[in-house]
RNA sequence: GGGCCAGUAGCUCAGCUGGAUAGAGCACCUCCCUUCUAAGGAGGCGGUCCUAGGUUCGAAUCCUAGCUGGCUCACCA
C-alpha cells in the first residue's frame, strides 16, 4: 500500500472513531505540505468539519492525535488553520529507498492496451520544418510513455505523397531542372525537391502579375495561369496512371524519402511502418460506397457524395467529388480501415496539429456512422502550432524554420559553448562530436517537450535556445555529476538502520517516490511535459543537495555509500525520464 | 457569423480532479569555485492570475457574460 492510501485510511478510521461517520478513502483531500510549514503530507480538514461540528483547528488536532498514535508512518503533526500537516517517519523513506532502488522496472505501468500511434505525416514536396520537429518529438516521446505505462505501441508514419502540391514540384523540375539531381548538386533530397516547389511558386506569381498587367483580374489570372493548368493536367495524368508521370513522381518521392530518413536518424525517431496515401486513397472510396448502400451517406444531383453531421452539431461534409475523385477525408477513412486490419488496435492515436481538430471530429463521426468497431478508439492527439513572432510559418514565402538547419545551428552552438567551458580537452574527435550532438539535441528536444502539447508556442529564431536553467543540458549536467561520483567511488554494503536522513536527502527521495504517479498522469493525459517538468525538478533538487552536501569528502563510510546510492538512483530515474523524452545522457561533459 | 482553443512576472513556461502568503527558468542586481564537474548554488528585484459577475468555508483553477488573440467551418491536403 502506498503512503497516501495508508494515511487516507488512517484518517477514515480516525473519523469513524471520533465522530462515528463513514467516509470513502478516496474522499480524503491530501496534499503535499507546502515548503513554509513542517511536514510532508497535509490533510485538508475544512471538508471534515461538517462531520465533526467543531472548528477546523480542533478537528485537525483530534485527527492528528489519532494518526500519530495509530498510523506508524506518522511521526508527528501540526495544525495550521484548517490544515493538518503530517510529518512522515524518516524510516518510511529510507525503507522505500532500500526496497525500491534496485528495481529495474521502477516507474513502469501495466496498462495493457494495443495502440497504433501515427505521427510526422510530411508532404513529399518539401523538407521538414520546426512544426514537424514538434510533431516528431511529441509522437516519439508519447509513444515511449505509453509503452512505459505498459501498453503495446506501434509507431507509424503517413506520407502525403500525392496531389497537386507534389505535381507542382514535379512540373517545376521538368521545366527548370535541367536534369539536375540531388547527387549532381550535392543537395539533400528533400531540400532539392523543395527547391522546385518554391520555384514553381515564383514563376507562377510572375505569370500572374504578367496576366494582371495585361488586364486580367487577379482571380482570373490565378486560375488561368498556364503553370497551374499544366500542374492540374499532370495530376490528372497521374491519376490515369501515365507512365512517364509516375516515373517522375517515383523518382522525386524517392529523393524526398532519402532526405527524410536522414532527418529521422539525426532526430532519433523511428517508425514501424510508413503508410502512403497513394496506396490507400482508393480504399476510402469503398467505404463511401458502403455508406451509400447503408443510406448513411447521400448523393447530390452532381453525383457528389455527402454525409449529414448536423445532428452532431457539425455541417454537411463532402466525402467524394462529383467526378468520383477522393478528397482528404476519403483517404483518411481508407487508411483508418487499413490500419485496423493491420493491427486490430484498441486505440489509434493521430499526432496532428490542432488546426485539424474539426477534421478528426468529422473522421471519427463518419466512421461511427459506418458502425466501424474501431471508430471510438480513434484519438486525435492535438498539439498547438509553432508560430514565429510575426505569425505563421509559410513554406512558400520562405519563412519556415527548416528542421535540418535548426539542428545544425544547435550543434554549432553546443560546440562553441562547450569549448568556451574547456572541460573536455581530453576528448577524442568522435567523443566531442557525440557530446555536441547530445547537448544540442538535449536542448532542442527539452525546449519543445517541456511545454504542454496543447499549447501553441512562439519560436523566435533571433533568440537562441538556452543551455542553462530549465533546460536539457542542466539535467544532463546533473546526471554527469552523478556518474563522475560513481566512477570515483564504488558503493559498498549500506547499513540503513543507522542512517540519519537530512532534509535535502528526504526531499530527493520524496521526488523519486512521485515518478510512477507522473508516468500514469503523463500517459493518461498524453502529456509528455509532465515527464520533462518532473525531470527538471528532480535535477534541481539534486543540484541543491550536491551543492550543500559533501558526498565523497570527509564523510563516514556508511553515510557516503548511502548518499552515493541515493545519487545513483536519482541518476537512474533521470536517465529513465530522458529515455522517454528521447534525449541521450552523456557520461561526461 | 457558428464552433473549438488559449489569455499567469519584461520574456518563456509550471500550477493535477477547487485548498495555505501564486511558482520555475531567462533577463537585471548581490554574494559563492584550495568539496566531489560553477552548463552550478544562495539571495534580491519583479504578478490587477484578461475583465465583470456567480457558485463555495475557500477560485488562477468551476459556471455565465464580455474583451483580446489563434485555429477552423474548401469539390486544398
Amino acid at each position: 500500500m502506498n503512503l497516501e492510501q495508508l494515511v487516507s485510511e488512517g484518517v477514515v478510521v480516525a473519523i469513524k472513531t471520533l465522530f462515528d461517520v463513514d467516509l470513502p478513502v478516496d474522499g480524503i483531500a491530501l496534499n503535499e505540505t507546502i515548503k513554509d510549514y513542517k511536514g510532508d503530507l497535509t490533510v485538508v480538514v475544512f471538508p471534515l468539519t461538517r462531520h465533526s461540528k467543531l472548528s477546523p483547528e480542533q478537528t485537525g488536532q483530534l485527527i492528528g492525535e489519532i494518526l500519530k498514535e495509530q498510523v506508524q508512518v506518522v511521526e508527528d503533526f501540526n495544525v495550521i488553520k484548517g490544515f493538518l500537516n503530517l510529518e512522515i517517519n524518516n524510516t518510511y523513506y529510507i525503507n522505500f529507498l532500500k526496497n525500491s532502488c534496485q528495481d529495474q522496472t521502477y516507474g513502469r505501468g501495466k496498462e495493457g492496451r494495443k495502440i497504433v500511434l501515427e505521427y510526422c505525416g510530411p508532404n513529399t514536396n518539401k523538407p521538414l520544418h520546426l512544426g514537424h520537429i514538434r510533431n516528431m518529438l511529441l509522437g516519439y516521446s508519447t509513444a515511449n510513455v505509453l509503452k512505459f505505462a505498459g501498453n503495446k505501441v506501434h509507431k507509424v508514419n503517413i506520407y502525403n505523397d500525392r496531389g497537386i502540391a507534389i505535381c507542382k514540384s514535379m512540373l517545376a523540375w521538368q521545366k527548370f531542372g535541367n536534369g539536375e539531381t540531388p547527387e549532381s548538386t550535392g543537395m539533400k533530397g528533400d531540400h532539392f525537391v523543395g527547391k522546385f516547389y518554391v520555384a514553381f511558386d515564383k514563376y507562377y506569381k510572375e505569370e500572374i502579375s504578367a496576366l494582371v498587367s495585361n488586364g486580367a483580374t487577379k482571380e482570373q489570372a490565378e486560375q488561368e495561369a498556364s503553370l497551374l493548368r499544366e500542374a492540374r493536367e499532370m495530376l490528372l495524368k497521374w491519376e490515369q496512371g501515365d507512365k512517364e508521370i509516375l516515373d517522375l513522381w517515383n523518382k522525386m518521392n524517392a529523393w524526398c524519402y532519402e532526405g527524410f530518413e536522414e532527418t529521422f536518424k539525426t532526430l532519433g525517431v523511428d517508425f514501424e511502418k510508413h503508410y502512403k496515401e497513394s496506396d490507400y486513397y482508393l480504399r476510402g472510396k469503398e467505404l463511401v460506397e458502403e455508406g451509400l448502400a447503408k443510406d448513411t451517406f447521400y448523393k447530390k444531383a452532381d453525383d457528389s457524395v455527402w454525409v449529414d453531421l448536423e445532428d452532431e452539431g457539425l455541417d454537411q461534409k463532402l466525402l467524394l467529388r462529383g467526378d468520383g475523385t477522393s478528397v482528404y477525408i476519403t483517404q483518411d477513412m481508407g487508411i483508418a480501415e487499413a490500419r485496423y486490419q493491420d493491427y486490430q488496435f484498441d486505440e489509434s492515436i493521430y499526432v496532428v496539429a490542432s488546426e485539424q481538430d474539426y477534421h478528426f471530429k468529422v473522421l471519427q463521426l463518419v466512421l461511427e456512422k459506418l458502425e466501424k468497431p474501431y471508430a471510438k478508439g480513434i484519438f486525435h492527439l492535438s498539439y498547438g502550432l509553432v508560430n514565429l513572432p510575426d505569425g505563421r510559418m509559410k513554406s512558400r514565402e520562405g519563412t519556415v524554420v527548416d528542421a535540418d538547419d535548426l539542428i545544425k545551428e544547435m550543434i554549432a552552438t553546443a560546440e562553441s559553448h562547450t569549448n568556451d567551458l574547456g572541460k573536455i580537452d581530453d576528448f577524442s574527435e568522435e567523443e566531442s562530436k557525440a557530446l555536441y550532438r547530445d547537448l544540442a539535441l538535449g536542448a532542442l528536444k527539452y525546449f519543445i517537450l517541456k511545454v504542454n502539447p496543447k499549447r501553441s508556442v512562439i519560436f523566435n529564431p533571433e533568440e537562441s535556445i538556452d543551455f542553462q536553467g530549465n533546460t536539457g543540458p542542466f539535467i544532463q549536467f546533473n546526471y554527469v555529476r552523478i556518474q563522475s561520483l560513481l566512477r570515483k567511488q564504488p558503493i559498498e554494503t549500506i547499513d540503513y538502520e543507522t542512517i540519519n536522513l537530512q532534509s535535502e536527502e528526504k526531499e530527493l527521495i520524496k521526488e523519486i517516490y512521485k515518478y510512477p504517479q507522473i508516468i500514469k498522469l503523463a500517459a493518461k493525459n498524453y502529456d509528455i511535459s509532465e515527464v520533462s517538468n518532473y525531470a527538471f525538478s528532480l535535477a534541481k533538487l539534486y543540484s541543491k543537495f550536491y551543492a550543500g552536501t559533501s558526498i565523497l569528502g570527509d564523510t563516514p563510510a556508511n553515510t557516503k555509500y548511502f548518499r552515493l546510492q541515493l545519487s545513483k538512483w536519482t541518476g537512474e530515474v533521470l536517465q529513465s525520464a530522458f529515455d522517454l523524452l528521447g534525449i541521450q545522457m552523456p557520461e561526461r561533459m
Side-chain angles (χ1 to χ4, degrees), chain A residues 95-111:
Chain A
N95 282 338
F96 166 66
L97 179 135
K98 183 180 157 195
N99 297 331
S100 302
C101 71
Q102 305 290 349
D103 179 4
Q104 294 303 307
T105 65
Y106 184 67
R108 214 172 269 277
K110 294 179 176 155
E111 291 187 354

Side-chain angles (χ1 to χ4, degrees), chain A residues 10 53 61 64 67 119 125 130 133 139 155 160 175 212 232 252 258 281 332-333 355 372 403 475 486 493 525 572:
Chain A
K53 316 275 194 247
Q61 187 68 30
L67 291 180
Y119 70 108
N125 64 323
L130 182 52
I133 290 189
K155 286 173 280 185
N160 303 303
K175 283 188 164 327
V212 169
R232 283 188 180 140
M252 291 190 76
E258 216 178 288
Y281 76 105
D332 270 357
M333 288 164 63
E355 58 188 347
K372 293 296 176 187
I475 298 163
L486 294 172
T493 314
N525 298 336
E572 284 163 358

Side-chain angles (χ1 to χ4, degrees), chain A residues 170 242-253:
Chain A
M170 285 156 60
D242 182 290
K243 182 163 185 313
E244 193 194 340
I245 299 300
L246 282 178
D247 285 348
L248 175 60
W249 174 73
N250 275 320
K251 182 161 71 180
M252 291 190 76
N253 273 346

Side-chain angles (χ1 to χ4, degrees), chain A residues 304-368:
Chain A
S304 58
V305 181
W306 296 72
V307 61
D308 184 353
L309 298 174
E310 285 180 354
D311 288 347
E312 286 80 7
L314 307 181
D315 307 289
Q316 317 228 340
K317 289 292 296 182
L318 177 84
L319 299 178
L320 208 60
R321 295 191 187 99
D323 62 4
T325 57
S326 64
V327 289
Y328 184 44
I329 192 146
T330 328
Q331 300 162 169
D332 270 357
M333 288 164 63
I335 293 166
E337 177 88 1
R339 191 167 297 167
Y340 186 66
Q341 281 162 4
D342 289 348
Y343 292 105
Q344 289 86 44
F345 53 77
D346 301 310
E347 191 174 334
S348 179
I349 301 174
Y350 293 79
V351 182
V352 179
S354 62
E355 58 188 347
Q356 293 194 40
D357 285 354
Y358 186 82
H359 170 74
F360 280 100
K361 252 184 222 166
V362 172
L363 179 65
Q364 186 160 30
L365 279 173
V366 168
L367 293 170
E368 272 171 19

Side-chain angles (χ1 to χ4, degrees), chain A residues 126-136 386 393 395 400-404 406:
Chain A
K126 54 184 185 238
L128 304 167
H129 56 70
L130 182 52
H132 292 108
I133 290 189
R134 189 175 196 195
N135 182 305
M136 290 189 276
V386 182
M393 294 192 282
S395 51
V400 288
V401 177
D402 180 78
D404 299 312
L406 180 60

Side-chain angles (χ1 to χ4, degrees), chain A residues 42 106 128 158 176 225 236 259 264 280 289 422 433 456 488 547 567:
Chain A
T42 294
Y106 184 67
L128 304 167
I158 172 78
F176 319 115
L236 213 62
F264 297 157
Y280 295 97
E289 290 303 325
K433 284 217 162 121
S456 63
K488 290 197 167 89
S567 299

Side-chain angles (χ1 to χ4, degrees), chain A residues 78 89 387 417 451:
Chain A
N78 62 81
N89 210 320
N387 291 314
H417 204 62
V451 182

